[in-house]
Amino acid sequence: MAIEPIKEKLDEKIKKLNSSRVFKKVTPKGDLSWYVKWISVFLILFATVARSVGTVPHIDMWFGLFGTIGWAWVGYLWHDRALLVLNVVLVTLLVLGLANFYFPTV
């Protein structure tokens, strides 16, 4: 018994299922937001690594700031309020943290 190759496209399969529980991925791929998203992911990962190593205390805030600015922009482009709200709050907190690092109050 030979296995036949899959010839149906995903859109056709979804139409056949006629179900409200099946969703096709709608995030864009290959446009500018896709690149910003992945660069931001790596910036935030690098920030987390810098924090876990603990050698340079403020470097994680800089990388985290640029990563969250990128995600806030992606949230704006995608009209995703949850991404936008989360990352705008994080940007605000990181800016305050950097201000406190460079201009400490006694």
Side-chain angles (χ1 to χ4, degrees):
M1 181 173 174
I3 298 176
E4 295 182 29
I6 299 173
K7 295 180 182 179
E8 271 184 306
K9 293 189 175 187
L10 180 60
D11 290 332
E12 295 168 1
K13 287 182 180 182
I14 291 172
K15 284 179 189 176
K16 275 186 181 179
L17 288 173
N18 195 21
S19 173
S20 62
R21 296 181 299 158
V22 178
F23 296 100
K24 182 180 176 187
K25 183 178 175 184
V26 293
T27 56
K29 183 178 179 188
D31 68 343
L32 182 60
S33 69
W34 185 85
Y35 291 103
V36 172
K37 173 182 76 171
W38 281 106
I39 289 169
S40 298
V41 164
F42 287 112
L43 287 172
I44 291 171
L45 286 173
F46 187 78
T48 306
V49 168
R51 174 162 291 196
S52 67
V53 172
T55 55
V56 184
H58 65 286
I59 198 75
D60 67 321
M61 287 191 281
W62 280 110
F63 281 99
L65 177 66
F66 290 121
T68 54
I69 287 171
W71 268 109
W73 188 57
V74 169
Y76 173 76
L77 290 176
W78 290 355
H79 305 287
D80 189 326
R81 289 184 188 142
L83 277 178
L84 193 55
V85 167
L86 172 67
N87 288 291
V88 166
V89 170
L90 289 174
V91 165
T92 304
L93 293 173
L94 287 165
V95 167
L96 290 172
L98 283 166
N100 189 36
F101 181 80
Y102 288 108
F103 308 106
T105 56
V106 178

